[in-house]
Amino acid sequence: MHSALVAAMSIVMQPEVYVEIGIYKGETWTKCHNFCGEVHLVDPAPLDQHYHAPIHPDKRDLRNVFFYDETSDEFFSHFKKKIDLIFIDGDHSYKSVKKDFNNAIKLLNPNGMILLHDTDPVSAEYITGGSHGGCGDVHIFLEELNEADEYSIITLPATEAGLTLVKRKGATRKSAWGSTGEEKQNVL
């Protein structure tokens, strides 16, 4: 379900630069890539060993898709493009998600959006892992983020894990127009 919501955002936003941190089996980015200018996929697990469910080798040949077999810290140390849409679903820890968010916000276009997975676990079992994998302690970062005044935040109870949409406050398409209709005409 979360992958369909991320794909819907890519259809609506038509991002020039889409980044995904943590690609698992590729379910999300494969639904998004046709609606994005560039797709940058970050995961330290080798693609041919990723969760014992390899991504088909032909996927590496897509013209707009770039794979980074490295940690998100390594990725952000060299990636400097402005990001329109980023989906953060890495190692499910408060520390890593906070670091990924802080790195992403520095590169986020003014009207861009950050999507955080695992922010609204359906039960304590999903926090601890249990038999369902787990959301880790990402929800703690969401609690912290909700206290910040500079972001507009919506959390959807998507499947068992939740999905949070984050934008800078005031970051609307209208804000890109300026204060008069004349600027709007120039943008359009």
Side-chain angles (χ1 to χ4, degrees):
M1 171 79 150
H2 75 273
S3 62
L5 291 169
V6 176
M9 292 309 303
S10 68
I11 291 167
V12 170
M13 293 181 70
Q14 301 280 309
E16 182 55 35
V17 176
Y18 169 80
V19 174
E20 188 168 313
I21 306 293
I23 61 172
Y24 191 51
K25 296 178 183 179
E27 179 183 351
T28 304
W29 73 265
T30 56
K31 292 178 181 175
C32 298
H33 76 89
N34 288 328
F35 309 103
C36 305
E38 296 177 5
V39 175
H40 299 271
L41 305 169
V42 183
D43 202 303
L47 291 177
D48 60 349
Q49 297 175 12
H50 205 299
Y51 291 86
H52 308 289
I55 295 172
H56 193 278
D58 290 345
K59 296 294 185 199
R60 284 189 174 265
D61 297 330
L62 294 169
R63 63 163 180 78
N64 66 329
V65 178
F66 306 91
F67 291 89
Y68 302 85
D69 297 335
E70 60 191 9
T71 67
S72 55
D73 288 341
E74 292 167 330
F75 172 76
F76 283 118
S77 74
H78 63 79
F79 190 82
K80 301 303 175 202
K81 291 185 178 190
K82 287 294 188 181
I83 299 169
D84 300 302
L85 181 62
I86 180 167
F87 177 48
I88 299 175
D89 189 20
D91 79 356
H92 305 176
S93 74
Y94 163 85
K95 182 180 176 182
S96 291
V97 169
K98 182 175 182 172
K99 194 182 303 184
D100 288 344
F101 180 89
N102 288 333
N103 282 324
I105 201 75
K106 293 175 195 170
L107 296 175
L108 194 68
N109 273 323
N111 205 28
M113 184 179 292
I114 297 174
L115 306 175
L116 302 169
H117 193 227
D118 303 306
T119 53
D120 188 28
V122 72
S123 70
E125 184 177 359
Y126 283 89
I127 294 171
T128 60
S131 62
H132 301 288
C135 299
D137 55 0
V138 174
H139 66 283
I140 296 170
F141 177 65
L142 178 60
E143 292 169 17
E144 186 177 293
L145 198 58
N146 276 321
E147 293 178 15
D149 286 334
E150 64 264 32
Y151 305 113
S152 295
I153 301 167
I154 298 172
T155 298
L156 304 172
T159 62
E160 72 285 342
L163 182 70
T164 297
L165 293 67
V166 182
K167 288 187 73 136
R168 290 184 181 98
K169 278 195 176 165
T172 65
R173 292 179 290 190
K174 184 178 175 189
S175 68
W177 301 346
S179 59
T180 67
E182 184 177 323
E183 286 91 355
K184 178 183 175 184
Q185 292 302 319
N186 291 335
V187 171
L188 299 176

